[in-house]
Amino acid sequence: MIPLSSLERTAEALMAKAAIEIPDDYLDGLRQCANTETGELSAFVLQAMLENYEAAKHDRRAMCGDTGVPRWYVKIGNEARVEGGPVALEAALRRATAKTTHDVPLRPNRVHPLWRTDHNNNVGIGAPEIEYSFHPDAIELTTVHKGGLFGSDYRMLFPADGIEGIRRFYLDTLVGFGKRGLACQPAIVGVGLGGSKDISMVLGKQAACLRVVGSRNPDPRIAALEDELKTLGNSIGMGAMGFMGSSMVIDCHIEVGYCHTGGMPMSVHMFCLSSRRACARVDAGGRAEFRTDPMWFTDYMRRATVEWERPAAEAAE
């Protein structure tokens, strides 16, 4: 039985880590951009960002004045038992969100869409979002503080659009975001292909927020497309924060889901230069192992078809 108090303490620590400490994989990608950037203003911004991250870690302050909208991703195994059950876990995650909003502090960004009611703690109706996945063992918590305004788009493509259509929408989105200041670059770009509209949006956001820089989709053809889109995104003449340069995309991640035979839904999401995420695996005794890689897209998550029992498989044959 995992003590609820241990999960709540872990959640509070994760919220602070995500707000203050830039993940090493993004930091390494940013340094590579800084080493190759030729645009004068873009290079200046990249250097300022690196200095800002060091200052945030040293002073234990949030790395960006806009601390995004906190959300949670929870992986639960068959054998994981939480004191009070999943309802108590959700309440603990909401308490941790409210407490660390006050303690870090984070900007209280969550308001009612019509009445603009603000509880000053990033908690409200449907907030913070809590998404679940399942895997064979343990319990893992990941918090992501993603910008909550722009940086996402969707289009229903069709099979005949093919890879060329994917390239076109991807470029349209990046150019539009860059020209209008709708995302803070350089960013991790997540692309969701397939599913229905809602699933495509979920896959794209998860691809941006829950994979580390340098990771590649296990399908070699999709991995090659990830490399191509990263290069393509950095060839449009935009660098850090939209200035002229070549550092718009730190990395590109693509995740797919099976879709209706007549369509090819596609979403594009940008996880901004404050790439805020933190993760922990909590064992049965309540001990937490912290890391920055959510390890969300496992082989189990990407399984493609029915897992037949052997007698059923023989019958099907």
Side-chain angles (χ1 to χ4, degrees):
M1 182 73 69
I2 303 174
L4 191 63
S5 58
S6 297
L7 289 168
E8 190 165 339
R9 284 195 303 271
T10 301
E12 291 170 7
L14 287 172
M15 287 281 290
K17 283 179 175 293
I20 295 169
E21 301 174 14
I22 200 77
D24 287 340
D25 60 283
Y26 180 88
L27 192 57
D28 290 343
L30 188 65
R31 288 176 177 141
Q32 291 177 23
C33 286
N35 291 335
T36 58
E37 180 57 77
T38 56
E40 184 176 350
L41 285 175
S42 181
F44 174 82
V45 171
L46 291 172
Q47 187 57 43
M49 289 165 57
L50 290 169
E51 293 173 2
N52 175 73
Y53 295 147
E54 287 300 316
K57 191 172 182 179
H58 180 270
D59 295 342
R60 304 307 297 169
R61 294 176 181 269
M63 68 180 79
C64 180
D66 181 353
T67 53
V69 286
R71 60 192 301 122
W72 291 97
Y73 295 91
V74 181
K75 291 173 71 174
I76 299 179
N78 283 342
E79 305 305 319
R81 298 181 60 202
V82 177
E83 179 186 2
V87 172
L89 172 60
E90 289 203 346
L93 296 179
R94 290 169 69 86
R95 286 194 299 269
T97 300
K99 186 174 187 300
T100 49
T101 296
H102 178 269
D103 291 352
V104 172
L106 306 178
R107 194 167 82 178
N109 280 331
R110 298 284 195 162
V111 300
H112 190 284
L114 293 176
W115 326 133
R116 316 311 285 178
T117 307
D118 186 351
H119 300 301
N120 293 314
N121 58 11
N122 281 309
V123 176
I125 301 170
E129 297 89 346
I130 304 174
E131 296 184 34
Y132 296 91
S133 72
F134 304 95
H135 66 150
D137 56 11
I139 183 168
E140 299 182 1
L141 303 178
T142 297
T143 187
V144 170
H145 301 179
K146 189 181 186 299
L149 289 175
F150 307 106
S152 299
D153 205 355
Y154 167 86
R155 184 176 294 175
M156 173 58 80
L157 302 176
F158 297 95
D161 291 319
I163 300 298
E164 187 59 35
I166 292 170
R167 294 190 192 104
R168 186 181 305 113
F169 177 47
Y170 175 81
L171 281 179
D172 287 349
T173 303
L174 265 59
V175 170
F177 287 171
K179 289 173 65 176
R180 298 166 61 199
L182 300 184
C184 297
Q185 304 94 17
I188 302 173
V189 181
V191 175
L193 285 177
S196 52
K197 180 175 182 178
D198 57 332
I199 296 303
S200 175
M201 292 293 285
V202 167
L203 285 172
K205 181 171 286 188
Q206 291 180 353
C209 299
L210 299 178
R211 281 178 49 188
V212 298
V213 173
S215 65
R216 285 293 170 263
N217 191 288
D219 184 326
R221 293 167 297 180
I222 296 176
L225 185 58
E226 290 175 329
D227 287 332
E228 179 187 346
L229 293 185
K230 176 184 176 181
T231 300
L232 196 60
N234 286 328
S235 69
I236 61 178
M238 292 184 186
M241 297 303 288
F243 292 112
M244 290 180 62
S246 57
S247 304
M248 192 172 198
V249 179
I250 288 284
D251 207 354
C252 180
H253 302 150
I254 302 173
E255 291 297 331
V256 304
Y258 276 33
C259 60
H260 189 281
T261 183
M264 186 171 65
M266 177 176 173
S267 69
V268 178
H269 300 258
M270 300 189 80
F271 194 20
C272 74
L273 55 86
S274 296
S275 189
R276 297 168 291 236
R277 57 172 148 77
C279 325
R281 179 187 177 94
V282 184
D283 67 20
R287 291 175 294 273
E289 174 191 349
F290 293 93
R291 62 175 192 266
T292 57
D293 183 354
M295 300 180 186
W296 184 261
F297 287 102
T298 61
D299 291 341
Y300 179 78
M301 280 284 285
R302 291 188 177 111
R303 63 197 187 280
T305 188
V306 175
E307 298 167 354
W308 296 99
E309 296 292 340
R310 188 60 199 159
E314 291 173 350
E317 292 168 359

